């Protein structure tokens, strides 16, 4: 009987259902030292953005900070992941941190410089590629993960942090729907 119930449960799941992210598996080096462990944000929506300091979209840092400021008290986490996969990042974590603080007053959680593509991709980005077919096409691609660890949406570089599309998705994620 238990097998039948389990089988019926699997059949009843919508085909588009996204398996939750195994957040406990994903941790990043923190640009400030130590680690950023995604399971510490369990129950909160997380917007993860691969970034670069010398990109035409670098001005989006300002919008990411504003998005965080607007929704942080409601539980949104905006995590920036500097990456040099598109050859537009500064040479060191220290340079990236200083650049973001001086130019944008950034106080968002930030990883160290991290690969997001190919064989060297961070395990989160490898999971996104393997499970959802998503890999960043450029800097400032955005991944929205819901409170339950479900991938809610991905956005390209052209989606501005304060765009209606993204803010509506964030508000829906915060509402838990």
């Amino acid at each position: 009987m238990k097998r039948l119930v389990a089988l019926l449960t699997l059949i009843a799941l919508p085909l588009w259902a996204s398996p939750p992210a195994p957040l406990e598996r994903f941790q990043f080096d923190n640009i400030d030292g130590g680690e950023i462990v995604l399971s510490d944000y369990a129950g909160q929506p997380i917007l993860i953005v691969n970034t670069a300091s010398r990109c035409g979209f670098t001005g989006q840092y300002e919008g990411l900070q504003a998005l965080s400021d607007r929704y942080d008290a409601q539980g949104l986490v905006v995590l920036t992941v500097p990456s040099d996969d598109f050859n537009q990042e500064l040479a060191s974590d220290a340079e990236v941190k200083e650049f973001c603080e001086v130019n944008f007053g950034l106080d968002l959680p930030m990883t160290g410089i991290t690969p997001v593509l190919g064989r060297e991709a961070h395990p989160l980005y490898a999971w996104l590629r393997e499970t959802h077919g998503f890999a960043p096409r450029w800097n400032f691609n955005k991944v929205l993960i819901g409170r339950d660890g479900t991938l809610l949406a991905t956005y390209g570089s052209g989606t501005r942090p304060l765009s209606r599309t993204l803010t509506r998705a964030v508000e829906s994620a915060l509402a838990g729907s």
Side-chain angles (χ1 to χ4, degrees):
M1 183 66 172
K2 287 183 180 179
R3 286 185 186 170
L4 179 60
V5 170
L7 180 60
L8 290 174
T9 302
L10 286 174
I11 293 170
L13 286 175
L15 294 176
W16 51 265
S18 164
L23 295 179
E24 67 279 354
R25 282 190 10 209
F26 302 131
Q27 52 193 29
F28 291 84
D29 291 335
N30 189 326
I31 203 161
D32 293 320
E35 295 180 333
I36 295 172
V37 181
L38 291 192
S39 62
D40 289 347
Y41 303 124
Q44 295 175 263
I46 308 169
L47 182 68
I48 303 168
V49 186
N50 65 299
T51 61
S53 301
R54 295 183 292 185
C55 175
F57 293 103
T58 300
Q60 287 189 17
Y61 271 131
E62 185 177 332
L64 291 171
Q65 183 65 56
L67 187 72
S68 177
D69 292 344
R70 182 184 297 179
Y71 296 109
D72 177 63
Q74 297 172 54
L76 178 67
V77 175
V78 177
L79 175 65
T80 58
V81 182
S83 180
D84 195 35
D85 283 353
F86 301 104
N87 301 310
Q88 294 189 318
E89 190 50 272
L90 299 170
S92 71
D93 289 351
E95 288 175 288
V96 172
K97 181 176 170 61
E98 180 181 7
F99 174 83
C100 290
E101 286 177 348
V102 168
N103 293 292
F104 300 100
L106 215 63
D107 66 3
L108 304 170
M110 182 177 282
T111 73
I113 298 171
T114 303
V116 298
L117 296 174
R119 291 184 183 178
E120 299 296 317
H122 183 275
L124 171 73
Y125 283 93
W127 174 81
L128 287 165
R129 184 184 65 244
E130 292 164 11
T131 307
H132 301 287
F134 171 80
R137 292 184 176 174
W138 195 246
N139 303 307
F140 289 87
N141 277 213
K142 298 149 193 80
V143 175
L144 183 59
I145 296 177
R147 291 183 183 276
D148 62 355
T150 301
L151 175 66
L152 298 177
T154 61
Y155 303 92
S157 306
T159 303
R160 291 170 290 125
L162 296 175
S163 69
R164 186 172 216 151
T165 300
L166 190 53
T167 58
R168 282 184 177 170
V170 164
E171 289 168 0
S172 179
L174 288 166
S177 54

